[in-house]
Amino acid sequence: MRRIIFHIDVNSAYLSWTAIEYLKRGDEEDIRDIPCIIGGDRKSRHGVVLAKSIPAKAYGIRTGEPVVSAIKKCPTLRMEPPDHKMYARYSRNLMDLLRSYTPDIEQLSIDECFLDFTGIAHQFATPIDAAFEIKNRIREEFGFTVNIGISTNKLLAKMASDFEKPDRVHTLFPEEIEEKMWPLSVSELYMAGKASVEVLKKLEIRTIGELAHADPDYLEIHLKSHGRLLWEFANGQGDDVVRSEGEEAKGIGNSTTLSEDVETEEEARKVLLMLSESVGGRLRKAGKKAGSITVEIRYATFQNVSHQMQISPPTQSDSILYQKACVLFHELWNGMPIRLLGIRTAKLEEESAPQQMNLFDYLETIQETQKQPKRKDEKHQKLDQALDQIRKKFGDDAVMRAAFLKKEEKDPKEQG
């Protein structure tokens, strides 16, 4: 029996989850039924659109555009602030429900995941029957809707879930590619960004089918390795392994699915800095130090790779975690576009535990002390503690690294 994979994607997750919370507290108006967005501030007109309702979409409002632009398109637009703690709670509930079917789940982001249906196929008449059961159960138990795409690999399952929305089940099996996918514009292909689409148009390639029949070597001349990747996607080639993360995994980490693929080491370092601050803060809050660190990369092909190193002595410092993460990334990255970056720490110990150093650690410490009477680690510790206090009092965005001010970062796109 061939492998069957589901891609499950929450429809307008941030807005749907917010709408449900408001209805629970007694609001009579469902913000999903009116022009409404999540994100930004009406008074200051700052921020970007993180999620939008279908009526807001009718005004031409797009996810990721500045709030000031959205208000011009729809002066009566309702705006609601994001609540990431609430989103995390809904995401956990969703994943718990899905794990009641199978543990073979690979979570891509807070509102989307892959589910390997192969091992439970014998329990259902067809994959479509199973998908409808899951979809309808989510709607009835939680009040929000999902799209489910079904295929033999992750790429095609994800493409299928992006077909007509919301609250739909779609298949895109290899034998359906010619009929369902090839007539679509190349802009509909996963990983085909605006720049790539413009190049393809100049090459007179306008549909996914035309891309699939193009010469991959010719595409590489104009789009480098990304051209061959798009050709493979157009032909339905993709990873078919769902990598579930064991519940028993020990450690503290964080990862982020990127709104646009990272293609340079400079961009990746900014993401690693953000993740290092997040993981360091969680370590300090838990009163732990980490003795090892792992950097994880998920490429646009859905291929996952990781690299680990020991940390001696164990640390909870943002700066040290960032330094180690950059070393690991440099050794690991193969230059392909990156879909997800993550940092995970393990070998945790209490922050009050005495540090045991080997001879080399001791000599290095002596050298550092002679160079700089005031130890770097002490400076890092005091700085991290001060930043923790500021963020605790004024919010996570109260302090921002200068690195993030050099170039405006785009907010993550709403999934679905």
Side-chain angles (χ1 to χ4, degrees):
M1 184 177 67
R2 62 181 176 177
R3 190 178 297 277
I4 300 295
I5 294 173
F6 290 3
H7 180 258
I8 302 170
D9 191 7
V10 179
N11 301 133
S12 299
Y14 290 179
L15 189 121
S16 293
W17 292 338
T18 302
I20 294 167
E21 284 293 296
Y22 287 0
L23 292 172
K24 282 181 180 179
R25 75 183 187 186
D27 284 18
E28 296 182 358
E29 190 172 47
D30 189 333
I31 61 174
R32 290 172 290 190
D33 298 332
I34 63 172
C36 181
I37 63 170
I38 302 296
D41 180 89
R42 178 173 283 276
K43 290 183 179 179
S44 66
R45 292 181 167 239
H46 289 162
V48 298
V49 177
L50 299 179
K52 63 188 179 301
S53 65
I54 292 177
K57 183 179 180 180
Y59 282 88
I61 294 171
R62 306 183 315 277
T63 300
E65 78 171 293
V67 164
V68 63
S69 171
I71 294 174
K72 288 180 180 178
K73 293 176 180 178
C74 179
T76 60
L77 185 68
R78 178 168 169 177
M79 299 172 56
E80 296 295 338
D83 184 343
H84 295 285
K85 289 184 179 179
M86 181 260 287
Y87 304 152
R89 186 175 75 251
Y90 273 90
S91 178
R92 285 193 299 270
N93 292 339
L94 172 62
M95 297 304 155
D96 287 344
L97 182 149
L98 296 176
R99 289 190 180 99
S100 71
Y101 288 91
T102 175
D104 298 327
I105 292 172
E106 179 180 338
Q107 188 168 356
L108 291 177
S109 62
I110 198 168
D111 62 349
E112 64 174 324
C113 69
F114 290 112
L115 181 152
D116 192 334
F117 177 76
T118 315
I120 58 173
H122 63 281
Q123 301 176 21
F124 300 90
T126 68
I128 295 176
D129 290 335
F132 270 99
E133 177 183 313
I134 293 171
K135 176 186 74 69
N136 294 340
R137 186 179 166 195
I138 290 169
R139 185 185 62 225
E140 291 163 7
E141 294 188 19
F142 299 139
F144 60 86
T145 64
V146 299
N147 263 42
I148 300 182
I150 307 172
S151 190
T152 56
N153 66 38
K154 292 194 262 189
L155 165 73
L156 293 177
K158 183 169 177 61
M159 286 290 296
S161 71
D162 282 335
F163 291 162
E164 184 186 1
K165 297 182 179 183
D167 200 24
R168 296 287 190 272
V169 171
H170 299 285
T171 63
L172 183 57
F173 292 111
E175 60 270 22
E176 297 177 305
I177 290 176
E178 184 174 355
E179 176 189 353
K180 292 185 177 182
M181 191 172 80
W182 280 357
L184 300 176
S185 165
V186 288
S187 61
E188 299 294 318
L189 182 64
Y190 177 65
M191 290 295 301
K194 289 183 179 180
S196 298
V197 170
E198 288 303 315
V199 173
L200 292 172
K201 284 182 179 179
K202 291 178 181 178
L203 300 178
E204 298 186 351
I205 296 174
R206 291 177 171 79
T207 68
I208 296 177
E210 290 173 345
L211 176 60
H213 289 91
D215 182 347
D217 293 330
Y218 179 65
L219 295 172
E220 274 196 294
I221 294 173
H222 294 276
L223 289 167
K224 300 182 180 179
S225 60
H226 193 60
R228 182 170 291 272
L229 176 68
L230 292 176
W231 178 84
E232 291 173 353
F233 284 1
N235 282 283
Q237 299 175 20
D239 184 9
D240 67 351
V241 179
V242 172
R243 295 171 177 83
S244 57
E245 184 175 343
E247 291 291 321
E248 71 283 0
K250 303 291 184 181
I252 290 176
N254 194 12
S255 63
T256 182
T257 302
L258 305 161
S259 59
E260 294 185 357
D261 291 324
V262 162
E263 297 184 350
T264 69
E265 188 160 345
E266 180 184 4
E267 293 173 323
R269 282 176 174 265
K270 290 184 179 181
V271 179
L272 292 173
L273 177 57
M274 175 192 70
L275 293 172
S276 298
E277 290 181 337
S278 171
V279 173
R282 290 177 60 192
L283 285 168
R284 292 188 293 276
K285 186 175 181 180
K288 303 288 186 180
K289 288 187 176 182
S292 74
I293 181 172
T294 301
V295 167
E296 301 170 314
I297 297 175
R298 176 178 292 133
Y299 292 113
T301 58
F302 299 121
Q303 176 191 6
N304 288 354
V305 294
S306 63
H307 198 18
Q308 182 186 61
M309 75 186 314
Q310 305 304 308
I311 306 176
S312 181
T315 189
Q316 56 182 200
S317 163
D318 298 351
S319 298
I320 295 176
L321 293 173
Y322 173 63
Q323 177 190 18
K324 303 294 185 184
C326 288
V327 172
L328 288 171
F329 176 84
H330 185 74
E331 295 174 354
L332 181 64
W333 186 42
N334 67 4
M336 293 287 286
I338 299 169
R339 163 76 170 168
L340 173 147
L341 273 174
I343 292 176
R344 185 175 71 252
T345 59
K347 295 189 176 181
L348 305 186
E349 63 177 45
E350 298 297 325
E351 61 184 356
S352 58
Q355 292 185 1
Q356 296 182 355
M357 290 187 289
N358 59 36
L359 177 61
F360 297 104
D361 293 329
Y362 176 74
L363 292 175
E364 184 178 349
T365 300
I366 292 297
Q367 291 173 352
E368 285 295 320
T369 304
Q370 290 174 345
K371 291 177 183 177
Q372 298 183 10
K374 190 164 184 177
R375 295 282 309 282
K376 283 184 179 180
D377 203 42
E378 293 176 2
K379 289 183 177 181
H380 293 158
Q381 186 177 8
K382 290 181 179 179
L383 175 60
D384 292 339
Q385 290 172 348
L387 294 177
D388 286 344
Q389 290 299 316
I390 294 173
R391 288 170 177 145
K392 182 178 180 181
K393 186 173 182 180
F394 299 105
D396 292 339
D397 297 328
V399 182
M400 182 179 292
R401 296 268 186 175
F404 298 122
L405 299 177
K406 293 178 182 177
K407 181 179 179 181
E408 184 178 349
E409 294 288 323
K410 295 185 178 180
D411 282 292
K413 290 193 290 187
E414 170 203 12
Q415 303 294 323

